[in-house]
Amino acid sequence: MGAHVCYSILTSILAATAFLLCWSSEFGCAFISFTSNSGFTQPVTVKFGIWSYQFWTVATSVGGSVVFETCQRYPSSVDIDSTWRASRAFSTLALILGGIFLFYNLISACVSPLRKTPPVEALAYLLACFFQAMSLLILSSSICTDNSLLEKLELQAAQLGITGLDFPETCSMSTGANCTIAAIIFWALSAWTSTMTVRFEKKEAESNDVIEPLIPGENLSETLWSSREV
């Protein structure tokens, strides 16, 4: 197994990991979080994602109450500012661009194991890394600095007689943001290993190039035999 094959396999593994992390961070509902400073004996943590947020449903029956935790799309009343929209766009671009070259790599490797790695693959993974990093713009958007859903939650808690529930003014990074940071690293590593794959493929191609003799082997042997007879 040549060095370029090892780097190609490593590229696929790294890119697949980055793709899964990117998917988890974009479509999960725990990209950022707010933890209450007061209001309950135990702190209350509320989480929000790029496209959805953490939602609780309370089902009450004769035997008691059960709380179901789900991810729910943001209501139309939520103001999505330009920074938040940019974060959504960049996250989607990272997922699409990285995914295209990941699946191209996997499918082409199955169809033709001796295929050459396109040099543009490393650039694509590098762009996916950039787009992934730009998705962190959500940390400076309205969902993080001026969250209207938190204000409604505090108001509803006050109406239920729960006073003193207070959340910080700015958000903290949660699971989704940490997955994004990890995806940035894996996209960058994928770009590097892809570059190394192309480099070793070129070296192997150059080492396999054999300079053909001016006289073919068969003609050369016939010429030498004729000269001996003379």
Side-chain angles (χ1 to χ4, degrees):
M1 183 182 295
H4 72 282
V5 177
C6 295
Y7 275 108
S8 179
I9 295 174
L10 184 58
T11 300
S12 299
I13 295 174
L14 291 172
T17 305
F19 180 82
L20 293 176
L21 289 169
C22 179
W23 183 282
S24 176
S25 65
E26 179 170 6
F27 297 109
C29 55
F31 197 97
I32 59 174
S33 64
F34 293 85
T35 302
S36 63
N37 300 322
S38 59
F40 292 94
T41 305
Q42 297 294 330
V44 177
T45 300
V46 183
K47 300 177 181 180
F48 299 87
I50 296 178
W51 296 91
S52 57
Y53 68 103
Q54 192 180 54
F55 184 78
W56 292 280
T57 301
V58 180
T60 304
S61 62
V62 178
S65 300
V66 179
V67 179
F68 295 96
E69 180 181 330
T70 60
C71 286
Q72 181 168 313
R73 301 280 291 187
Y74 288 102
S76 57
S77 58
V78 175
D79 181 28
I80 302 176
D81 60 2
S82 58
T83 306
W84 190 354
R85 294 180 189 276
S87 175
R88 285 182 169 184
F90 282 121
S91 181
T92 303
L93 285 173
L95 189 68
I96 293 175
L97 183 60
I100 288 175
F101 279 87
L102 167 63
F103 288 107
Y104 169 79
N105 193 341
L106 296 175
I107 294 173
S108 61
C110 294
V111 174
S112 177
L114 299 178
R115 61 95 173 91
K116 298 296 182 181
T117 302
V120 72
E121 181 184 81
L123 178 61
Y125 288 146
L126 197 60
L127 283 175
C129 175
F130 170 76
F131 293 149
Q132 192 75 60
M134 294 301 291
S135 67
L136 292 174
L137 285 171
I138 194 174
L139 298 176
S140 59
S141 67
S142 60
I143 192 65
C144 189
T145 58
D146 186 21
N147 196 314
S148 60
L149 292 175
L150 280 181
E151 296 175 358
K152 291 182 179 179
L153 179 61
E154 292 174 353
L155 180 60
Q156 291 174 357
Q159 292 174 350
L160 293 174
I162 303 173
T163 59
L165 183 61
D166 183 39
F167 290 95
E169 295 182 357
T170 58
C171 66
S172 301
M173 292 194 303
S174 188
T175 306
N178 294 329
C179 286
T180 295
I181 294 174
I184 293 170
I185 297 173
F186 277 99
W187 284 131
L189 291 174
S190 300
W192 178 75
T193 53
S194 180
T195 302
M196 296 301 294
T197 303
V198 174
R199 183 178 300 177
F200 278 103
E201 284 177 351
K202 290 181 179 179
K203 288 184 178 180
E204 186 171 340
E206 292 173 356
S207 63
N208 291 336
D209 287 340
V210 179
I211 302 176
E212 297 183 358
L214 297 177
I215 304 175
E218 295 181 358
N219 295 337
L220 179 59
S221 60
E222 292 177 359
T223 305
L224 294 174
W225 182 260
S226 300
S227 62
R228 289 179 181 177
E229 291 181 351
V230 174

